[in-house]
mmCIF file of all heavy atoms in Angstrom:
data_model
loop_
_atom_site.group_PDB
_atom_site.id
_atom_site.type_symbol
_atom_site.label_atom_id
_atom_site.label_comp_id
_atom_site.label_asym_id
_atom_site.label_seq_id
_atom_site.Cartn_x
_atom_site.Cartn_y
_atom_site.Cartn_z
ATOM 1 N N TRP A 105 -132.309 32.795 -7.707
ATOM 2 C CA TRP A 105 -131.228 32.811 -8.649
ATOM 3 C C TRP A 105 -131.695 32.337 -10.000
ATOM 4 O O TRP A 105 -130.888 32.109 -10.895
ATOM 5 C CB TRP A 105 -130.153 31.831 -8.207
ATOM 6 C CG TRP A 105 -129.567 32.048 -6.755
ATOM 7 C CD1 TRP A 105 -128.740 33.033 -6.413
ATOM 8 C CD2 TRP A 105 -129.955 31.325 -5.683
ATOM 9 N NE1 TRP A 105 -128.469 32.864 -4.986
ATOM 10 C CE2 TRP A 105 -129.170 31.803 -4.551
ATOM 11 C CE3 TRP A 105 -130.813 30.260 -5.543
ATOM 12 C CZ2 TRP A 105 -129.329 31.233 -3.301
ATOM 13 C CZ3 TRP A 105 -130.969 29.649 -4.290
ATOM 14 C CH2 TRP A 105 -130.254 30.166 -3.086
ATOM 15 N N TYR A 133 -127.209 39.706 -13.659
ATOM 16 C CA TYR A 133 -126.211 38.712 -13.891
ATOM 17 C C TYR A 133 -126.809 37.482 -14.594
ATOM 18 O O TYR A 133 -127.944 37.220 -14.521
ATOM 19 C CB TYR A 133 -125.484 38.326 -12.504
ATOM 20 C CG TYR A 133 -126.533 37.928 -11.389
ATOM 21 C CD1 TYR A 133 -126.828 36.508 -11.283
ATOM 22 C CD2 TYR A 133 -127.240 38.840 -10.622
ATOM 23 C CE1 TYR A 133 -127.668 36.063 -10.238
ATOM 24 C CE2 TYR A 133 -128.111 38.308 -9.661
ATOM 25 C CZ TYR A 133 -128.376 37.021 -9.578
ATOM 26 O OH TYR A 133 -129.260 36.624 -8.649
ATOM 27 N N ARG A 134 -125.906 36.803 -15.231
ATOM 28 C CA ARG A 134 -126.285 35.606 -15.843
ATOM 29 C C ARG A 134 -126.702 34.544 -14.814
ATOM 30 O O ARG A 134 -125.960 34.323 -13.836
ATOM 31 C CB ARG A 134 -125.196 34.899 -16.795
ATOM 32 C CG ARG A 134 -124.888 35.764 -17.937
ATOM 33 C CD ARG A 134 -123.742 35.166 -18.781
ATOM 34 N NE ARG A 134 -122.501 35.378 -17.932
ATOM 35 C CZ ARG A 134 -121.252 34.848 -18.219
ATOM 36 N NH1 ARG A 134 -121.161 34.219 -19.409
ATOM 37 N NH2 ARG A 134 -120.258 35.181 -17.482
ATOM 38 N N GLY A 141 -125.055 30.042 -13.863
ATOM 39 C CA GLY A 141 -124.823 28.801 -12.988
ATOM 40 C C GLY A 141 -123.395 28.887 -12.573
ATOM 41 O O GLY A 141 -122.758 30.035 -12.540
ATOM 42 N N TRP A 142 -122.932 27.807 -11.983
ATOM 43 C CA TRP A 142 -121.504 27.798 -11.490
ATOM 44 C C TRP A 142 -120.441 27.696 -12.674
ATOM 45 O O TRP A 142 -120.723 26.954 -13.608
ATOM 46 C CB TRP A 142 -121.337 26.529 -10.651
ATOM 47 C CG TRP A 142 -119.916 26.214 -10.324
ATOM 48 C CD1 TRP A 142 -119.026 25.423 -10.922
ATOM 49 C CD2 TRP A 142 -119.097 26.806 -9.281
ATOM 50 N NE1 TRP A 142 -117.763 25.457 -10.363
ATOM 51 C CE2 TRP A 142 -117.880 26.274 -9.242
ATOM 52 C CE3 TRP A 142 -119.379 27.750 -8.223
ATOM 53 C CZ2 TRP A 142 -116.904 26.586 -8.458
ATOM 54 C CZ3 TRP A 142 -118.432 28.047 -7.387
ATOM 55 C CH2 TRP A 142 -117.112 27.536 -7.495
ATOM 56 N N PRO A 143 -119.456 28.536 -12.714
ATOM 57 C CA PRO A 143 -119.178 29.630 -11.711
ATOM 58 C C PRO A 143 -119.615 31.026 -12.251
ATOM 59 O O PRO A 143 -119.311 32.051 -11.633
ATOM 60 C CB PRO A 143 -117.588 29.614 -11.636
ATOM 61 C CG PRO A 143 -117.276 29.185 -13.129
ATOM 62 C CD PRO A 143 -118.285 28.228 -13.594
ATOM 63 N N ASP A 144 -120.280 31.061 -13.457
ATOM 64 C CA ASP A 144 -120.484 32.303 -14.093
ATOM 65 C C ASP A 144 -121.291 33.318 -13.380
ATOM 66 O O ASP A 144 -121.148 34.395 -13.440
ATOM 67 C CB ASP A 144 -121.087 32.037 -15.484
ATOM 68 C CG ASP A 144 -120.040 31.265 -16.362
ATOM 69 O OD1 ASP A 144 -118.864 31.694 -16.417
ATOM 70 O OD2 ASP A 144 -120.479 30.271 -16.966
ATOM 71 N N SER A 145 -122.442 32.792 -12.682
ATOM 72 C CA SER A 145 -123.263 33.780 -11.924
ATOM 73 C C SER A 145 -122.449 34.462 -10.927
ATOM 74 O O SER A 145 -122.654 35.652 -10.720
ATOM 75 C CB SER A 145 -124.376 33.029 -11.339
ATOM 76 O OG SER A 145 -125.309 32.584 -12.279
ATOM 77 N N PHE A 146 -121.528 33.776 -10.164
ATOM 78 C CA PHE A 146 -120.868 34.371 -9.192
ATOM 79 C C PHE A 146 -119.703 35.407 -9.762
ATOM 80 O O PHE A 146 -119.436 36.494 -9.280
ATOM 81 C CB PHE A 146 -120.088 33.354 -8.300
ATOM 82 C CG PHE A 146 -120.959 32.575 -7.505
ATOM 83 C CD1 PHE A 146 -121.566 31.347 -7.986
ATOM 84 C CD2 PHE A 146 -121.339 32.897 -6.227
ATOM 85 C CE1 PHE A 146 -122.401 30.597 -7.337
ATOM 86 C CE2 PHE A 146 -122.090 32.185 -5.424
ATOM 87 C CZ PHE A 146 -122.720 30.994 -5.984
ATOM 88 N N LEU A 147 -119.177 35.032 -10.880
ATOM 89 C CA LEU A 147 -118.178 35.823 -11.566
ATOM 90 C C LEU A 147 -118.822 37.131 -12.070
ATOM 91 O O LEU A 147 -118.253 38.226 -12.022
ATOM 92 C CB LEU A 147 -117.492 35.019 -12.617
ATOM 93 C CG LEU A 147 -116.465 33.895 -12.277
ATOM 94 C CD1 LEU A 147 -116.062 33.157 -13.520
ATOM 95 C CD2 LEU A 147 -115.260 34.468 -11.574
ATOM 96 N N ASP A 148 -119.983 37.035 -12.532
ATOM 97 C CA ASP A 148 -120.711 38.166 -12.910
ATOM 98 C C ASP A 148 -120.944 39.147 -11.887
ATOM 99 O O ASP A 148 -120.803 40.358 -12.076
ATOM 100 C CB ASP A 148 -122.105 37.773 -13.617
ATOM 101 C CG ASP A 148 -122.004 37.308 -15.072
ATOM 102 O OD1 ASP A 148 -120.866 37.133 -15.579
ATOM 103 O OD2 ASP A 148 -123.003 37.039 -15.679
ATOM 104 N N VAL A 149 -121.400 38.566 -10.690
ATOM 105 C CA VAL A 149 -121.691 39.463 -9.536
ATOM 106 C C VAL A 149 -120.429 40.152 -9.084
ATOM 107 O O VAL A 149 -120.302 41.355 -8.876
ATOM 108 C CB VAL A 149 -122.296 38.721 -8.360
ATOM 109 C CG1 VAL A 149 -122.300 39.588 -7.098
ATOM 110 C CG2 VAL A 149 -123.694 38.268 -8.837
ATOM 111 N N ALA A 150 -119.294 39.403 -9.166
ATOM 112 C CA ALA A 150 -117.979 39.966 -8.865
ATOM 113 C C ALA A 150 -117.540 41.027 -9.881
ATOM 114 O O ALA A 150 -117.108 42.067 -9.464
ATOM 115 C CB ALA A 150 -116.976 38.839 -8.746
ATOM 116 N N ARG A 151 -117.664 40.728 -11.120
ATOM 117 C CA ARG A 151 -117.282 41.655 -12.120
ATOM 118 C C ARG A 151 -118.068 42.923 -12.150
ATOM 119 O O ARG A 151 -117.633 44.086 -12.230
ATOM 120 C CB ARG A 151 -117.418 41.074 -13.523
ATOM 121 C CG ARG A 151 -116.353 39.976 -13.750
ATOM 122 C CD ARG A 151 -116.774 39.174 -15.028
ATOM 123 N NE ARG A 151 -115.794 38.056 -15.311
ATOM 124 C CZ ARG A 151 -116.121 36.934 -15.874
ATOM 125 N NH1 ARG A 151 -117.296 36.723 -16.281
ATOM 126 N NH2 ARG A 151 -115.185 36.014 -16.011
ATOM 127 N N GLN A 180 -127.406 35.948 -0.225
ATOM 128 C CA GLN A 180 -126.315 35.025 -0.136
ATOM 129 C C GLN A 180 -125.191 35.529 -0.958
ATOM 130 O O GLN A 180 -123.983 35.554 -0.545
ATOM 131 C CB GLN A 180 -126.709 33.629 -0.685
ATOM 132 C CG GLN A 180 -125.636 32.606 -0.758
ATOM 133 C CD GLN A 180 -125.105 32.575 -2.178
ATOM 134 O OE1 GLN A 180 -125.859 32.600 -3.154
ATOM 135 N NE2 GLN A 180 -123.683 32.274 -2.292
ATOM 136 N N LEU A 181 -125.431 36.084 -2.172
ATOM 137 C CA LEU A 181 -124.435 36.592 -3.133
ATOM 138 C C LEU A 181 -123.712 37.887 -2.378
ATOM 139 O O LEU A 181 -122.526 37.931 -2.474
ATOM 140 C CB LEU A 181 -125.022 36.991 -4.470
ATOM 141 C CG LEU A 181 -125.431 35.694 -5.240
ATOM 142 C CD1 LEU A 181 -126.242 36.192 -6.467
ATOM 143 C CD2 LEU A 181 -124.249 34.946 -5.831
ATOM 144 N N TRP A 184 -121.396 36.722 0.246
ATOM 145 C CA TRP A 184 -120.240 36.075 -0.321
ATOM 146 C C TRP A 184 -119.266 37.187 -0.879
ATOM 147 O O TRP A 184 -118.035 36.931 -0.762
ATOM 148 C CB TRP A 184 -120.688 35.143 -1.485
ATOM 149 C CG TRP A 184 -119.550 34.700 -2.290
ATOM 150 C CD1 TRP A 184 -118.630 33.650 -1.946
ATOM 151 C CD2 TRP A 184 -119.130 35.156 -3.612
ATOM 152 N NE1 TRP A 184 -117.723 33.512 -2.996
ATOM 153 C CE2 TRP A 184 -117.963 34.373 -4.008
ATOM 154 C CE3 TRP A 184 -119.719 36.213 -4.457
ATOM 155 C CZ2 TRP A 184 -117.290 34.638 -5.186
ATOM 156 C CZ3 TRP A 184 -119.018 36.437 -5.638
ATOM 157 C CH2 TRP A 184 -117.905 35.721 -6.017
ATOM 158 N N LEU A 185 -119.750 38.206 -1.437
ATOM 159 C CA LEU A 185 -118.846 39.318 -1.936
ATOM 160 C C LEU A 185 -117.823 39.796 -0.821
ATOM 161 O O LEU A 185 -116.780 40.132 -1.133
ATOM 162 C CB LEU A 185 -119.715 40.531 -2.372
ATOM 163 C CG LEU A 185 -120.264 40.452 -3.815
ATOM 164 C CD1 LEU A 185 -121.118 41.642 -3.975
ATOM 165 C CD2 LEU A 185 -119.162 40.295 -4.816
ATOM 166 N N ARG A 188 -114.503 37.630 -0.841
ATOM 167 C CA ARG A 188 -113.758 37.239 -2.117
ATOM 168 C C ARG A 188 -112.317 37.573 -1.962
ATOM 169 O O ARG A 188 -111.407 36.840 -2.564
ATOM 170 C CB ARG A 188 -114.260 38.286 -3.219
ATOM 171 C CG ARG A 188 -115.561 37.767 -3.850
ATOM 172 C CD ARG A 188 -115.714 38.510 -5.205
ATOM 173 N NE ARG A 188 -115.579 39.990 -5.007
ATOM 174 C CZ ARG A 188 -115.195 40.763 -6.073
ATOM 175 N NH1 ARG A 188 -114.716 40.222 -7.144
ATOM 176 N NH2 ARG A 188 -115.128 42.046 -5.896
ATOM 177 N N LEU A 197 -113.340 31.209 -8.590
ATOM 178 C CA LEU A 197 -113.927 32.420 -8.450
ATOM 179 C C LEU A 197 -112.971 33.574 -8.054
ATOM 180 O O LEU A 197 -113.336 34.662 -7.800
ATOM 181 C CB LEU A 197 -115.018 32.403 -7.363
ATOM 182 C CG LEU A 197 -116.117 31.319 -7.612
ATOM 183 C CD1 LEU A 197 -117.160 31.304 -6.451
ATOM 184 C CD2 LEU A 197 -116.828 31.625 -8.951
ATOM 185 N N LEU A 217 -126.969 27.537 2.841
ATOM 186 C CA LEU A 217 -127.459 26.851 1.644
ATOM 187 C C LEU A 217 -127.766 25.316 1.961
ATOM 188 O O LEU A 217 -128.729 24.739 1.330
ATOM 189 C CB LEU A 217 -126.569 27.028 0.444
ATOM 190 C CG LEU A 217 -126.320 28.455 0.019
ATOM 191 C CD1 LEU A 217 -125.406 28.367 -1.199
ATOM 192 C CD2 LEU A 217 -127.691 29.192 -0.333
ATOM 193 N N LEU A 235 -127.766 26.496 -9.628
ATOM 194 C CA LEU A 235 -126.765 27.490 -9.369
ATOM 195 C C LEU A 235 -125.340 26.922 -9.024
ATOM 196 O O LEU A 235 -124.423 27.283 -9.687
ATOM 197 C CB LEU A 235 -127.197 28.478 -8.250
ATOM 198 C CG LEU A 235 -126.174 29.564 -7.819
ATOM 199 C CD1 LEU A 235 -126.177 30.639 -8.903
ATOM 200 C CD2 LEU A 235 -126.431 30.069 -6.484
ATOM 201 N N LEU A 236 -125.442 25.792 -8.301
ATOM 202 C CA LEU A 236 -124.127 25.364 -7.742
ATOM 203 C C LEU A 236 -123.703 24.055 -8.492
ATOM 204 O O LEU A 236 -122.590 23.488 -8.307
ATOM 205 C CB LEU A 236 -124.213 24.961 -6.275
ATOM 206 C CG LEU A 236 -124.395 26.274 -5.360
ATOM 207 C CD1 LEU A 236 -124.241 25.874 -3.910
ATOM 208 C CD2 LEU A 236 -123.372 27.309 -5.691
ATOM 209 N N LEU A 250 -119.487 28.486 -0.386
ATOM 210 C CA LEU A 250 -120.444 29.544 -0.909
ATOM 211 C C LEU A 250 -121.539 29.920 0.095
ATOM 212 O O LEU A 250 -122.164 30.930 0.016
ATOM 213 C CB LEU A 250 -121.001 29.262 -2.181
ATOM 214 C CG LEU A 250 -119.958 29.070 -3.239
ATOM 215 C CD1 LEU A 250 -120.568 28.392 -4.569
ATOM 216 C CD2 LEU A 250 -119.376 30.428 -3.676
#
Side-chain angles (χ1 to χ4, degrees):
W105 310 277
Y133 53 95
R134 289 173 293 174
W142 169 265
D144 295 313
S145 294
F146 292 90
L147 290 173
D148 279 5
V149 171
R151 289 167 182 151
Q180 175 262 325
L181 292 167
W184 169 78
L185 276 176
R188 283 196 303 147
L197 302 180
L217 298 182
L235 178 73
L236 298 187
L250 297 167

